[in-house]
Structures are given as C-alpha cells and as structure tokens.
Amino acid sequence: MTKIRVSFIIALLLSSAFFLQVARCQSESDSEDAELVAETVEEGGDLGIVGDDVQDFGSGNYSPAPGVETVCVFPKNAAKTVVAGKETEVLIGMKNEGDQTVKVLAVHASVHLPFDHRMLVQNLSAQVFNNASIPPSVQAAFPYIFAVSKFLQAGTFDLVGTIVYEIDQLPYQNTFYNGTIEVTEAGGLVSMETVFLVSLGISLLVFLGLWIRGQIQNLSKKTKKAPKVETGTRSVDASMDEWLEGTAYTQSKASKSKKKK
C-alpha cells in the first residue's frame, strides 16, 4: 500500500512539472507576440480614429486576404485573466505584405463555451475605425477594449476575436485570437496555475499524512506483546499422567497408593 502511495505522489510531481513547462512555453510565446506588437507600434502606421458607429460587423463571414497577418497580446496579462464587469485591453498587430492598401473597418469579439463554439455566451461590443489604413509592407497596432458581463459566472471560456478590413472595396476578415480566457469575479483574481499548485500541495499533504499514519500503525502492531495463557495445575497434571502412563513413574505412583490403603 505504501509503494502505491509513493508512486502516486511521484506521478503527481511529474504531471505538475509538465503543466508548469507548458505554462512557461505559453508565456514565452506570448512574449514573442508582445515584442512583435511593440515593434509595430514603434514603426508607426495609421491607427485611425475610433468611431461610435453601431454597424453590425459580426454578421458577415469573410475569408482572410492573402498577405495579411495578425497577432494578438494581452498587455501585462499573460494569464489572459478577465474580470467580470471590468474592461480588458487587447493589442492587435496587423502586417500588410500585399500590394494594396488595407483599410481597417472594425474589431469585434464573442465569448463561447469552450466545449462547443456553437453555444454563444455573449457578443462583445464592436470597435469601429473611421480612418485606419495600412499601406503595403507596413505594420500597425490596434487596441481593442472589451468587457464581459458582470453576471457571467467565473470559469474558463473561449474568446473569438475578429478584425474586419477592406482591400479594393472587398471585405475580408482575420481571426486574431481564438483561445481560452479565465473569467474571474471582481475582487477574486485567481489564476488556473495558482489553483493547480494549491490543489497539488493539499494532495501531497493528505498523502503524506496517510503515509505517516500507516507507519505509526505498523509500528504499534509490532510493539504489542502476545497475550499470556495461564493453565491450571490440574490440567497440567492430567496431561502428564496421560504421557507417563505405563512408565516406571506411574507404576511407583500406583504402589504408593496401595500402601496407603
């Protein structure tokens, strides 16, 4: 039983190391995207003017244009944690490697259940750009600020973000982000990594306590003495008479009893 517990603890430690390595790789990937967006901001590019147009850009389903690439970062938020009811900023880096100018129209996003994207949780507000263009061989960065409903239950959801643009008056769109976000309640910022490490620590403490308890029980069993068995003198004499029957001892004993008579 002890060997099984030790093996289980080793398996937990190995799995924790794996998840931490995955988290480290993810953070390195996010830092690379952040550097690319930072370079885009430094190089310049027309960010355009954010408008208040309420046109529905989410109803169209356009294909991406060749030569147009997008990346996305959550500034100072590598865990992609979104507090319900509060604004979260996303930076979108866009690179035009085509031959024509790209006219950026709007950015919009939606929240879905992670196990089924057909289950829409919330349509986020669209951000419209009235004057945003990217000439050929130029990069530009576009901020997008959104807020999920304050009534949204804390948990893991999928965020799908799309940027809509035109080239030669033809509409296109790129999905700049299609991944998970961690929604938390206001005042309760807890990342998945923290929850995993706390759960792992509690599990290790529980199994350590069970192992110590088992060792104490085994030690107490070894120290227990066997119970004493007391036998009366009569039963011992009877057994000795049966064993010595027919010997010289029984014959002498019989002769002594006759003399007494």
Side-chain angles (χ1 to χ4, degrees), residues 61-70 163 165 167 171-175:
N61 187 14
Y62 311 115
S63 60
V68 177
E69 298 179 358
T70 56
I163 184 167
Y165 53 95
I167 298 178
Y172 298 92
Q173 70 178 28
N174 278 36
T175 300

mmCIF file of all heavy atoms in Angstrom, residues 61-70 163 165 167 171-175:
data_model
loop_
_atom_site.group_PDB
_atom_site.id
_atom_site.type_symbol
_atom_site.label_atom_id
_atom_site.label_comp_id
_atom_site.label_asym_id
_atom_site.label_seq_id
_atom_site.Cartn_x
_atom_site.Cartn_y
_atom_site.Cartn_z
ATOM 1 N N ASN A 61 -19.313 36.795 -42.820
ATOM 2 C CA ASN A 61 -18.365 35.695 -42.676
ATOM 3 C C ASN A 61 -17.435 35.722 -43.882
ATOM 4 O O ASN A 61 -17.676 35.076 -44.898
ATOM 5 C CB ASN A 61 -19.111 34.360 -42.586
ATOM 6 C CG ASN A 61 -18.177 33.205 -42.256
ATOM 7 O OD1 ASN A 61 -17.040 33.417 -41.846
ATOM 8 N ND2 ASN A 61 -18.647 31.985 -42.449
ATOM 9 N N TYR A 62 -16.364 36.496 -43.732
ATOM 10 C CA TYR A 62 -15.460 36.719 -44.844
ATOM 11 C C TYR A 62 -14.187 35.897 -44.658
ATOM 12 O O TYR A 62 -13.845 35.483 -43.549
ATOM 13 C CB TYR A 62 -15.109 38.211 -44.958
ATOM 14 C CG TYR A 62 -16.315 39.119 -44.917
ATOM 15 C CD1 TYR A 62 -16.486 40.015 -43.868
ATOM 16 C CD2 TYR A 62 -17.282 39.078 -45.915
ATOM 17 C CE1 TYR A 62 -17.588 40.857 -43.819
ATOM 18 C CE2 TYR A 62 -18.383 39.910 -45.873
ATOM 19 C CZ TYR A 62 -18.542 40.791 -44.817
ATOM 20 O OH TYR A 62 -19.637 41.606 -44.766
ATOM 21 N N SER A 63 -13.488 35.709 -45.743
ATOM 22 C CA SER A 63 -12.227 34.963 -45.702
ATOM 23 C C SER A 63 -11.073 35.942 -45.514
ATOM 24 O O SER A 63 -11.196 37.133 -45.815
ATOM 25 C CB SER A 63 -12.048 34.175 -47.000
ATOM 26 O OG SER A 63 -12.018 35.065 -48.109
ATOM 27 N N PRO A 64 -9.929 35.460 -45.007
ATOM 28 C CA PRO A 64 -8.767 36.347 -44.863
ATOM 29 C C PRO A 64 -8.122 36.631 -46.210
ATOM 30 O O PRO A 64 -8.112 35.790 -47.110
ATOM 31 C CB PRO A 64 -7.835 35.554 -43.946
ATOM 32 C CG PRO A 64 -8.232 34.135 -44.144
ATOM 33 C CD PRO A 64 -9.694 34.128 -44.430
ATOM 34 N N ALA A 65 -7.544 37.812 -46.320
ATOM 35 C CA ALA A 65 -6.869 38.187 -47.560
ATOM 36 C C ALA A 65 -5.447 37.654 -47.542
ATOM 37 O O ALA A 65 -4.794 37.623 -46.498
ATOM 38 C CB ALA A 65 -6.862 39.705 -47.704
ATOM 39 N N PRO A 66 -4.938 37.239 -48.698
ATOM 40 C CA PRO A 66 -3.552 36.760 -48.737
ATOM 41 C C PRO A 66 -2.576 37.894 -48.463
ATOM 42 O O PRO A 66 -2.755 39.030 -48.929
ATOM 43 C CB PRO A 66 -3.402 36.238 -50.179
ATOM 44 C CG PRO A 66 -4.478 36.918 -50.952
ATOM 45 C CD PRO A 66 -5.600 37.145 -50.007
ATOM 46 N N GLY A 67 -1.550 37.584 -47.671
ATOM 47 C CA GLY A 67 -0.532 38.578 -47.361
ATOM 48 C C GLY A 67 -0.843 39.427 -46.147
ATOM 49 O O GLY A 67 -0.045 40.307 -45.797
ATOM 50 N N VAL A 68 -1.959 39.202 -45.481
ATOM 51 C CA VAL A 68 -2.323 39.969 -44.288
ATOM 52 C C VAL A 68 -2.237 39.038 -43.077
ATOM 53 O O VAL A 68 -2.917 38.002 -43.021
ATOM 54 C CB VAL A 68 -3.740 40.560 -44.414
ATOM 55 C CG1 VAL A 68 -4.118 41.289 -43.128
ATOM 56 C CG2 VAL A 68 -3.826 41.502 -45.611
ATOM 57 N N GLU A 69 -1.380 39.405 -42.128
ATOM 58 C CA GLU A 69 -1.177 38.584 -40.935
ATOM 59 C C GLU A 69 -1.528 39.382 -39.682
ATOM 60 O O GLU A 69 -1.333 40.603 -39.637
ATOM 61 C CB GLU A 69 0.281 38.109 -40.853
ATOM 62 C CG GLU A 69 0.705 37.243 -42.023
ATOM 63 C CD GLU A 69 2.155 36.823 -41.928
ATOM 64 O OE1 GLU A 69 2.825 37.261 -40.956
ATOM 65 O OE2 GLU A 69 2.622 36.077 -42.804
ATOM 66 N N THR A 70 -2.027 38.665 -38.677
ATOM 67 C CA THR A 70 -2.402 39.318 -37.418
ATOM 68 C C THR A 70 -1.856 38.528 -36.231
ATOM 69 O O THR A 70 -1.734 37.305 -36.287
ATOM 70 C CB THR A 70 -3.933 39.428 -37.280
ATOM 71 O OG1 THR A 70 -4.510 38.129 -37.404
ATOM 72 C CG2 THR A 70 -4.519 40.365 -38.312
ATOM 73 N N ILE A 163 -10.941 40.830 -36.781
ATOM 74 C CA ILE A 163 -10.725 42.175 -37.326
ATOM 75 C C ILE A 163 -11.197 42.176 -38.783
ATOM 76 O O ILE A 163 -10.852 41.298 -39.569
ATOM 77 C CB ILE A 163 -9.246 42.597 -37.203
ATOM 78 C CG1 ILE A 163 -9.070 44.035 -37.675
ATOM 79 C CG2 ILE A 163 -8.310 41.640 -37.927
ATOM 80 C CD1 ILE A 163 -7.721 44.634 -37.305
ATOM 81 N N TYR A 165 -11.644 44.172 -42.463
ATOM 82 C CA TYR A 165 -10.954 45.183 -43.266
ATOM 83 C C TYR A 165 -11.366 45.055 -44.726
ATOM 84 O O TYR A 165 -12.032 44.079 -45.119
ATOM 85 C CB TYR A 165 -9.434 45.050 -43.119
ATOM 86 C CG TYR A 165 -8.896 43.655 -43.403
ATOM 87 C CD1 TYR A 165 -8.416 43.320 -44.675
ATOM 88 C CD2 TYR A 165 -8.876 42.676 -42.419
ATOM 89 C CE1 TYR A 165 -7.925 42.054 -44.945
ATOM 90 C CE2 TYR A 165 -8.397 41.414 -42.677
ATOM 91 C CZ TYR A 165 -7.920 41.096 -43.936
ATOM 92 O OH TYR A 165 -7.444 39.833 -44.198
ATOM 93 N N ILE A 167 -9.962 45.558 -48.909
ATOM 94 C CA ILE A 167 -8.891 45.739 -49.894
ATOM 95 C C ILE A 167 -9.569 45.914 -51.245
ATOM 96 O O ILE A 167 -10.281 44.993 -51.716
ATOM 97 C CB ILE A 167 -7.929 44.536 -49.929
ATOM 98 C CG1 ILE A 167 -7.241 44.368 -48.572
ATOM 99 C CG2 ILE A 167 -6.897 44.714 -51.035
ATOM 100 C CD1 ILE A 167 -6.307 43.167 -48.512
ATOM 101 N N PRO A 171 -14.558 43.121 -48.821
ATOM 102 C CA PRO A 171 -14.402 42.871 -47.376
ATOM 103 C C PRO A 171 -13.651 41.561 -47.093
ATOM 104 O O PRO A 171 -13.825 40.559 -47.790
ATOM 105 C CB PRO A 171 -15.855 42.772 -46.888
ATOM 106 C CG PRO A 171 -16.610 42.280 -48.076
ATOM 107 C CD PRO A 171 -15.922 42.849 -49.294
ATOM 108 N N TYR A 172 -12.819 41.623 -46.054
ATOM 109 C CA TYR A 172 -12.079 40.445 -45.572
ATOM 110 C C TYR A 172 -12.084 40.488 -44.032
ATOM 111 O O TYR A 172 -12.415 41.511 -43.419
ATOM 112 C CB TYR A 172 -10.633 40.450 -46.085
ATOM 113 C CG TYR A 172 -10.492 40.380 -47.585
ATOM 114 C CD1 TYR A 172 -10.399 41.555 -48.340
ATOM 115 C CD2 TYR A 172 -10.433 39.158 -48.244
ATOM 116 C CE1 TYR A 172 -10.259 41.500 -49.719
ATOM 117 C CE2 TYR A 172 -10.287 39.099 -49.630
ATOM 118 C CZ TYR A 172 -10.205 40.272 -50.360
ATOM 119 O OH TYR A 172 -10.065 40.217 -51.728
ATOM 120 N N GLN A 173 -11.677 39.391 -43.468
ATOM 121 C CA GLN A 173 -11.541 39.371 -42.009
ATOM 122 C C GLN A 173 -10.495 38.348 -41.600
ATOM 123 O O GLN A 173 -10.297 37.334 -42.275
ATOM 124 C CB GLN A 173 -12.883 39.051 -41.330
ATOM 125 C CG GLN A 173 -13.366 37.621 -41.517
ATOM 126 C CD GLN A 173 -14.668 37.351 -40.791
ATOM 127 O OE1 GLN A 173 -15.473 38.255 -40.579
ATOM 128 N NE2 GLN A 173 -14.885 36.102 -40.408
ATOM 129 N N ASN A 174 -9.820 38.628 -40.499
ATOM 130 C CA ASN A 174 -8.852 37.724 -39.892
ATOM 131 C C ASN A 174 -9.256 37.474 -38.442
ATOM 132 O O ASN A 174 -9.667 38.399 -37.737
ATOM 133 C CB ASN A 174 -7.439 38.311 -39.927
ATOM 134 C CG ASN A 174 -6.748 38.101 -41.257
ATOM 135 O OD1 ASN A 174 -7.399 38.151 -42.312
ATOM 136 N ND2 ASN A 174 -5.448 37.896 -41.243
ATOM 137 N N THR A 175 -9.104 36.238 -38.012
ATOM 138 C CA THR A 175 -9.324 35.910 -36.599
ATOM 139 C C THR A 175 -8.000 36.110 -35.864
ATOM 140 O O THR A 175 -7.068 35.327 -36.039
ATOM 141 C CB THR A 175 -9.830 34.463 -36.437
ATOM 142 O OG1 THR A 175 -11.062 34.319 -37.141
ATOM 143 C CG2 THR A 175 -10.050 34.127 -34.967
#
